[in-house]
Amino acid sequence: GTNDALQAFGITADLVPARAVGESLAELLAARPTEAALVVRARGGRTVVSDALSAAGTARVDVVEPYVTVHEPLDERTTARVLEADWATLTSASSVRALCDAVGGVDVLRASGLRLASIGPITTAELVSHGLTAALEATEHTPAGLVSALLRAP
């Protein structure tokens, strides 16, 4: 997750939420008096952290969006392989949207029988908003937690 990425650059996080979702980070930050905060996220990312900081009385909340998630089209062969797989792992709401777009829509995805593995509640909620169901949701909302859940799946 994010903490591992920071550590790879020799940076130690001052706060690490128990759950890898914005709501958990927002709770931690809201409990700490803060005059100014910088929120770094993808363009169009969820506003839960910046909203919580503002609601907690942070005088200045700056949001920087230095990157954008880009949906890449799949060629015909790759699309066929995707739809023939047993499982798809989804690690963010944007990965749900990208997969739906890439394979030609929700109906195509649903008809394929592909089982969908979600990293956590935000991703699962995005699946539900598309009329899809997660066959499993990782208990630990990290890539390792998702792999662990897949290994235990029937």
Side-chain angles (χ1 to χ4, degrees):
T2 304
N3 189 44
D4 293 337
L6 287 170
Q7 288 177 349
F9 286 99
I11 300 169
T12 301
D14 295 303
L15 297 172
V16 178
R19 295 175 51 229
V21 293
E23 289 77 1
S24 291
L25 180 58
E27 287 175 25
L28 280 177
L29 292 170
R32 300 177 67 99
T34 306
E35 290 184 30
L38 172 66
V39 177
V40 181
R41 66 177 181 228
R43 186 176 310 142
R46 294 185 331 126
T47 62
V48 65
V49 173
S50 54
D51 290 349
L53 286 164
S54 295
T58 302
R60 191 180 91 222
V61 178
D62 294 319
V63 176
V64 175
E65 299 178 332
Y67 67 100
V68 61
T69 302
V70 177
H71 297 193
E72 292 291 331
L74 301 178
D75 61 42
E76 208 172 290
R77 180 177 179 268
T78 304
T79 299
R81 291 191 56 123
V82 166
L83 296 172
E84 292 167 359
D86 293 324
W87 288 94
T89 58
L90 299 153
T91 58
S92 66
S94 64
S95 70
V96 173
R97 293 186 297 271
L99 179 62
C100 290
D101 290 347
V103 300
V106 173
D107 292 337
V108 173
L109 191 56
R110 193 178 296 113
S112 74
L114 182 64
R115 290 181 289 177
L116 306 173
S118 168
I119 199 166
I122 306 306
T123 304
T124 299
E126 188 70 18
L127 284 166
V128 170
S129 78
H130 283 78
L132 298 167
T133 303
L136 68 80
E137 179 181 295
T139 304
E140 178 188 335
H141 312 309
T142 64
L146 182 55
V147 169
S148 179
L150 276 170
L151 292 175
R152 291 190 312 272

